[in-house]
Structure formats: structure tokens, C-alpha cells
Amino acid sequence: MPQPHHLTVLTGASRGMGLAMALQLLQPERHLLCISRHINPELADAAQKADAPLTQWAQDLADTTGAAQRLQDWLGEQQASGFASVTLINNAGVIPRIGPLDECPPEDLSNALRVGLEAPMHLTAAFLRATGAWVRAGWRGPRKVLNISSGLGRHAMAAQAPYCAAKAGMDHFTRCCALDEAQREHGARLVSLAPGVIDTDMQQQLRAGDANAFPDLDRFVQLKRQGHLASPTEAAAQVLACLERPDFGANPVADVRD
């Protein structure tokens, strides 16, 4: 009889730390579902070589309800007995145009909040709803939600109000959901985790900002120049190690540097 797989759902898996996490999660005993705007051929090739079950969806997370309904329907079609555990990692995020809030195009502001906050909330709700039905039917595997937050959700920065607000909201909705799940038998465990400062496209975007509109520009330039940025691979390993800690969920808002 085949052994149950671990199921991991990962958003924003086509590049940066998301891709690094996806590559590290590819294992024969794990089914990985990646949700990104674009399919990544490199990831598909790596999965084939590793003999690892991989499903990739091309899905715009700005369509928040559509993405959540798709996930809920897919989970509802799965046989829970085929999985030993199930995990959702909300990793996708967007940095809008760098500058004061009144200079941010309305469509950029809305997209940053949809992808960075509304989508994780909808996906978390869909995940809890669908896997909660598994629990009520007798399934007893662990359920985890890992939200990739940022230090900018806890420390304000000029010129990035939408991104900071989305990450602050992510922290707080994680706290709320953790309280809800603590009241439920076999409830899920949730953590909103700041992954440290990582050398990704977002960092490049920040370093390319206009100094007149972005007072913190030099700080981000110096972080790169002085070698203080973790690689996506290093950061992914730290984040995934947090997922495996026996006390995962004890502190719903955490930082890999703690």
C-alpha cells in the first residue's frame, strides 16, 4: 500500500525565494502545488528529475476570489487519506511604485493590497474550510499555514505604505486565525514569518528607486554593497526549517532572525 504524501501549496513559486522554496520542497514523498502568474519550466524539469509530484497553476492572485475558489475546489476533490500532512505557504507579494502614498497610482495600490493581503486571506480561508472538512470526516494529519511577512510589516518605512500595510495586515490576520483555530479540535497552526533581508527582484526594485521619493534608498544600497543580503536559497532553507520546528505555531508572528 503506498505511503501517504505530504501536500504543500505554495504561492509565488516562479521566482525568487518562492522558486528556491519550491526547488527544496521537491521530494518523491511530497505533492507540491505551485500557484503563480506563470508556469516555471525550470521547476517542472527539476520535479521530473527528482521524481517528485508537482502541479503548477498559472493563476493571477489579483483575482482573489477566483484563486481561492479554485484551491478550495481542488482540495475538495482530493482524497484526504492520501496525505500525511497539508501545508499552505502564502509567499506572493507585490511592491508598488516607490514613493509617497499620494503619488502611488490607484491601480498599483489596489493590486499591492489584493495580492499581498486579500489573496492570502482568501486562500487561507479556502484552505481552512476545505481541510477542516477533512478533519470533520476523521482525518488527523497536521495542518499548517505559513504566511511570508516582512520586517516592514512591523516597522514603518517611507515610500512603501501599501506594501507595509499589506504585511502588517498579514501579521494581524494570522494572529486572529490562530486564535480561531486554537478553539477548534485538531485546529490548524498558523505563523506569519519575516524571512529577513533577501537578495531578490524586490530588493533590486527598491535599490532602483528615486532618492528624492525614497529616503531609505541608501540603506538598501548599502545592504547589498556590504553583503548583508541572504541569497534566496539560504532564506528558503531558513523558512522551511521554521515550518519543521516542533513548536511551529506557538508564536503566530515570528522572525527567522529571532
Side-chain angles (χ1 to χ4, degrees), residues 51-62:
D51 193 27
L54 171 69
T55 303
Q56 291 194 78
W57 290 351
Q59 173 71 52
D60 186 355
L61 291 177

Side-chain angles (χ1 to χ4, degrees), residues 121-142:
M121 292 186 75
H122 277 290
L123 290 170
T124 298
F127 175 86
L128 295 175
R129 195 176 297 123
T131 60
W134 297 1
V135 170
R136 290 189 293 277
W139 185 79
R140 289 296 179 264

